[in-house]
């Protein structure tokens, strides 16, 4: 229990640090998905609620709800002669319309995937807009990018493993400079689409060839099972790239719950080292190989190390986000750019309370793995536990490894437990489902979207544009719960 309390306090401190260290990066909440803006050759794609609108897809990794949307955009043609932030205020946006759709995959007459049935729609007036940066265009004009943050008035509950589409469109009174959603330097699955309504008010989607949109989705915090934060003052990266060498570090299972999510830190060796902050998108990796071993206690070789392989998985769906850069104090001075990663294990690793295990994380890069190889970051020395980390080389079949101790070094990672069952009935987001939630649900019961002012999408748990018996069954199952995992961070 004491370590859990320390973990919670440490997580809070790290989150505060992230706010201070990561200017213009998604703050505070856990990241579910991140596609960074292209700050070299990116451009804006018009997305106005008067049409056209733009949408891009994402994968739900762990089932936790979306509670915040963060994105980048700019105003088409606005003050484009200025090479830096213009001295006047940008055009005014009244609100953003956020829509979430189910996925319509490739098949039949569809040559590309696109948004399907509408699941969630909300108009948000309260948002922040911050100047993010200016990039030059080939025609010697400039585009001024802004960063936006908004909290959803009601969470969007997803299902693990499902693909969804996000649409963001602006509402403006006067449109001399229409708003455009910014493109990303990162690609996942199919490209983004732009949509228009036809004569029957149905959406017609057009593929935006070789374009993805820049956005991040956030959710509630995870419960950390094990905590070793990165060393942001003197930390280094240790090469851990397939096929070898790989790096491993140990942890102890204290409560017996399985491991479902791993957070860790890493960087690309020698990449952009002359710049205090990276100016390009990172080289990227194709995926990560996760291995978990049993523990071999210290013996004649003087240090403990991984033993029999217990778990192995290749993960190619993950979040990579810029964390911060630290100087190496060399002559001339060089810098190391750290990234934060989130992966979700489709098959959680079941542990035994009291046992010690070893975690190995290694990058898989199919093209030029030796150009800017990936390295796992070391952790804050105050969090050293048991023996130090090790680096391993495969010396035989069936995962037979030779291990070398990394003297004085531990690795930076967080382990979390599986997400609890959704608590969709917590309509007021206070952590329980009680009479206040019942009153809100009762007002909406029997309503139909577009026909009844009492319709509330938050009560449409089974999203079919009405609040009926299927939604009542979900609410009834939640009624009386006092352990809802996602109380609101919004003002009540």
């Amino acid at each position: 229990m004491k370590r859990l309390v320390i973990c919670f306090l440490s997580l809070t401190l790290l989150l505060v640090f992230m706010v201070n260290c990561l200017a213009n990066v998604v703050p505070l909440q856990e990241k579910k998905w991140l596609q960074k803006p292209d700050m070299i050759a990116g451009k804006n794609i018009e997305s106005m609620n008067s049409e056209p609108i733009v949408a891009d897809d994402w994968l739900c990794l762990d089932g936790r709800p979306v509670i915040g949307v963060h994105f980048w955009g700019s105003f088409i043609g606005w003050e484009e002669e200025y090479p830096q932030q213009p001295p006047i205020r940008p055009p005014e946006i009244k609100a953003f319309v956020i829509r979430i759709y189910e996925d319509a995959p490739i098949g039949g007459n569809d040559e590309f995937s696109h948004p399907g049935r509408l699941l969630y729609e909300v108009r948000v007036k309260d948002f922040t807009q911050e100047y993010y940066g200016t990039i030059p265009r080939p025609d010697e004009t400039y585009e001024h990018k802004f960063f936006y943050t908004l909290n959803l008035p009601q969470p969007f509950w997803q299902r693990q493993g499902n693909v969804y589409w996000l649409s963001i469109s602006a509402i403006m009174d006067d449109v001399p400079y229409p708003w455009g959603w910014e493109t990303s330097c990162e690609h996942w699955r199919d490209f983004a689409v732009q949509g228009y309504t036809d004569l029957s008010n149905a959406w017609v989607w057009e593929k935006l060839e070789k374009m993805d949109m820049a956005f991040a989705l956030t959710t509630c915090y995870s419960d950390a099972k094990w905590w070793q934060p990165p060393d942001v003052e003197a930390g280094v990266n240790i090469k851990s790239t397939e096929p070898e060498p790989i790096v491993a570090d140990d942890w102890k299972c204290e409560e017996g719950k399985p491991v479902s999510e791993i957070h860790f830190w890493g960087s690309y060796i020698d990449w952009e080292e002359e710049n205090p902050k990276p100016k390009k998108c990172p080289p990227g990796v194709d995926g990560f190989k996760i291995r978990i071993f049993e523990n071999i206690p210290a013996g004649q070789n003087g240090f403990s190390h991984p033993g029999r392989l217990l778990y192995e998985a290749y993960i190619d769906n993950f979040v990579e986000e810029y964390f911060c850069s630290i100087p190496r104090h060399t002559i001339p001075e060089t810098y190391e750019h750290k990234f934060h990663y989130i992966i979700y294990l489709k098959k959680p690793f079941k542990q035994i309370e009291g046992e010690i295990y070893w975690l190995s994380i290694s990058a898989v890069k199919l093209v030029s793995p030796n150009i800017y190889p990936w390295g796992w970051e070391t952790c804050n020395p105050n969090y050293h536990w048991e023996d130090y980390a090790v680096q391993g080389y495969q010396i035989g079949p069936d995962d037979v490894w030779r291990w070398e101790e990394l003297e004085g070094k531990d690795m930076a990672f967080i382990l979390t437990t599986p997400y609890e069952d959704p608590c969709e009935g917590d309509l007021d987001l206070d952590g329980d489902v009680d009479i206040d939630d019942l009153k809100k649900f009762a007002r909406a019961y029997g309503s139909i979207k577009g026909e009844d002012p009492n319709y509330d999408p938050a009560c449409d748990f089974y999203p079919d544009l009405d609040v009926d018996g299927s939604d009542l069954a979900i609410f009834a199952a939640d009624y009386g719960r006092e352990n809802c995992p996602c109380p609101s961070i919004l003002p009540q």
Side-chain angles (χ1 to χ4, degrees):
M1 178 62 69
K2 181 179 179 180
R3 185 177 178 90
L4 291 176
V5 173
I6 293 173
C7 288
F8 175 78
L9 293 175
S10 300
L11 179 58
T12 303
L13 290 174
L14 179 62
L15 292 169
V16 171
F17 161 78
M18 290 173 66
V19 175
N20 295 326
C21 178
L22 304 180
N24 295 322
V25 175
V26 182
L28 288 180
Q29 302 149 310
E30 283 288 357
K31 290 79 177 170
K32 290 188 62 66
W33 195 261
L34 177 64
Q35 293 181 186
K36 298 180 291 296
D38 186 344
M39 293 301 291
I40 297 178
K43 58 182 179 180
N44 49 23
I45 308 298
E46 183 177 342
S47 190
M48 300 284 293
N49 205 45
S50 54
E51 299 183 21
I53 69 171
V54 175
D56 201 2
D57 53 351
W58 89 89
L59 173 68
C60 173
L61 293 171
D62 66 358
R64 285 178 293 165
V66 176
I67 62 174
V69 182
H70 311 257
F71 51 99
W72 289 260
S74 60
F75 300 93
I76 300 172
W78 177 69
E79 299 297 317
E80 55 187 6
E81 71 278 9
Y82 281 92
Q84 61 275 328
Q85 181 178 4
I88 63 175
R89 296 181 62 180
E92 183 180 3
I93 297 174
K94 296 294 185 182
F96 283 101
V97 176
I98 305 297
R99 298 181 178 94
I100 298 174
Y101 304 82
E102 66 182 2
D103 178 49
I106 298 173
N109 295 324
D110 293 328
E111 298 180 354
F112 56 91
S113 65
H114 58 81
R117 183 166 58 103
L118 180 66
L119 303 176
Y120 182 99
E121 182 177 9
V122 65
R123 180 179 297 191
V124 181
K125 296 181 180 179
D126 295 326
F127 59 89
T128 62
Q129 174 180 275
E130 302 176 43
Y131 172 74
Y132 190 77
T134 296
I135 66 169
R137 298 194 186 104
D139 62 359
E140 298 185 353
T141 61
Y142 300 89
E143 182 179 305
H144 312 292
K145 300 180 187 290
F146 292 85
F147 176 63
Y148 300 85
T149 297
L150 60 83
N151 291 315
L152 299 178
Q154 195 69 29
F156 171 68
W157 291 92
Q158 348 171 60
R159 297 295 180 265
Q160 178 191 336
N162 283 5
V163 175
Y164 299 93
W165 287 78
L166 170 70
S167 170
I168 303 171
S169 53
I171 297 176
M172 302 173 69
D173 284 342
D174 190 11
V175 195
Y177 305 108
W179 184 83
W181 191 357
E182 292 293 330
T183 56
S184 173
C185 58
E186 298 177 309
H187 172 63
W188 182 78
R189 213 183 70 143
D190 275 0
F191 294 112
V193 296
Q194 195 168 38
Y196 307 80
T197 53
D198 59 17
L199 295 177
S200 64
N201 286 325
W203 285 99
V204 177
W205 301 100
E206 298 178 355
K207 186 176 183 180
L208 293 170
E209 193 66 43
K210 295 185 179 179
M211 293 184 188
D212 295 89
M213 310 316 296
F215 68 99
L217 304 176
T218 55
T219 187
C220 347
Y221 301 134
S222 300
D223 290 328
K225 294 178 62 62
W226 192 262
W227 177 266
Q228 292 185 186
D231 185 348
V232 295
E233 294 183 358
V236 296
N237 51 21
I238 308 297
K239 183 180 179 181
S240 190
T241 302
E242 291 291 317
E244 57 181 49
I246 68 171
V247 175
D249 201 2
D250 52 351
W251 90 90
K252 183 177 181 180
C253 173
E254 296 190 325
E255 57 180 12
K257 292 183 179 180
V259 174
S260 65
E261 190 172 304
I262 304 174
H263 296 234
F264 55 100
W265 288 260
S267 60
Y268 297 92
I269 298 172
D270 297 332
W271 174 72
E272 288 281 287
E273 60 180 358
E274 70 279 8
N275 296 320
K277 286 189 177 181
K279 296 181 178 180
K280 303 177 181 178
C281 283
V285 299
D286 296 283
F288 289 95
K289 182 70 72 69
I290 303 299
R291 296 180 178 93
I292 298 175
F293 303 85
E294 68 180 2
N295 177 54
I296 300 297
Q300 293 182 352
N301 59 6
F303 60 91
S304 64
H305 59 82
R308 182 168 56 98
L309 180 67
L310 303 175
Y311 180 99
E312 185 175 36
Y314 173 68
I315 309 295
D316 58 3
N317 287 314
F318 57 90
V319 172
E320 177 185 68
E321 60 175 346
Y322 171 71
F323 188 67
C324 63
S325 300
I326 63 170
R328 292 194 181 117
H329 304 298
T330 56
I331 300 176
E333 191 165 56
T334 59
Y335 301 85
E336 183 179 306
H337 312 295
K338 301 180 186 292
F339 292 84
H340 172 224
Y341 299 84
I342 305 172
I343 64 171
Y344 181 80
L345 302 180
K346 294 181 180 179
K347 182 181 179 182
F349 172 67
K350 297 180 180 179
Q351 349 173 58
I352 299 174
E353 185 175 351
E355 291 292 315
I356 295 173
Y357 300 93
W358 286 79
L359 169 69
S360 170
I361 301 172
S362 53
V364 177
K365 191 171 183 180
L366 300 181
V367 180
S368 301
N370 294 320
I371 298 177
Y372 306 126
W374 185 86
W376 192 359
E377 291 291 333
T378 55
C379 90
N380 186 314
N382 293 327
Y383 289 80
H384 169 65
W385 183 82
E386 196 75 358
D387 277 356
Y388 292 112
V390 296
Q391 193 168 39
Y393 300 82
Q394 193 165 6
I395 58 175
D398 301 322
D399 279 301
V400 178
W401 296 85
R402 173 175 59 84
W403 300 101
E404 300 176 356
E405 186 177 29
L406 294 169
E407 183 66 36
K409 294 180 174 60
D410 295 275
M411 310 317 294
F413 67 99
I414 299 172
L415 305 177
T416 69
T417 197
Y419 177 65
E420 302 295 338
D421 291 335
C423 196
E424 298 174 75
D426 184 15
L427 299 173
D428 59 4
L429 302 178
D430 62 354
D432 57 27
V433 184
D434 55 14
I435 189 64
D436 295 325
D437 303 294
L438 177 59
K439 291 177 181 178
K440 188 172 183 178
F441 183 81
R443 284 195 298 271
Y445 189 74
S447 62
I448 300 174
K449 180 178 173 61
E451 299 181 10
D452 192 325
N454 289 324
Y455 173 79
D456 186 345
C459 302
D460 191 4
F461 307 126
Y462 186 82
D464 53 5
L465 305 184
D466 62 15
V467 182
D468 57 12
S470 60
D471 306 297
L472 176 60
I474 294 174
F475 182 81
D478 282 343
Y479 192 76
R481 284 186 60 174
E482 298 180 347
N483 62 336
C484 293
C486 207
S488 177
I489 62 165
L490 306 178
Q492 297 296 322

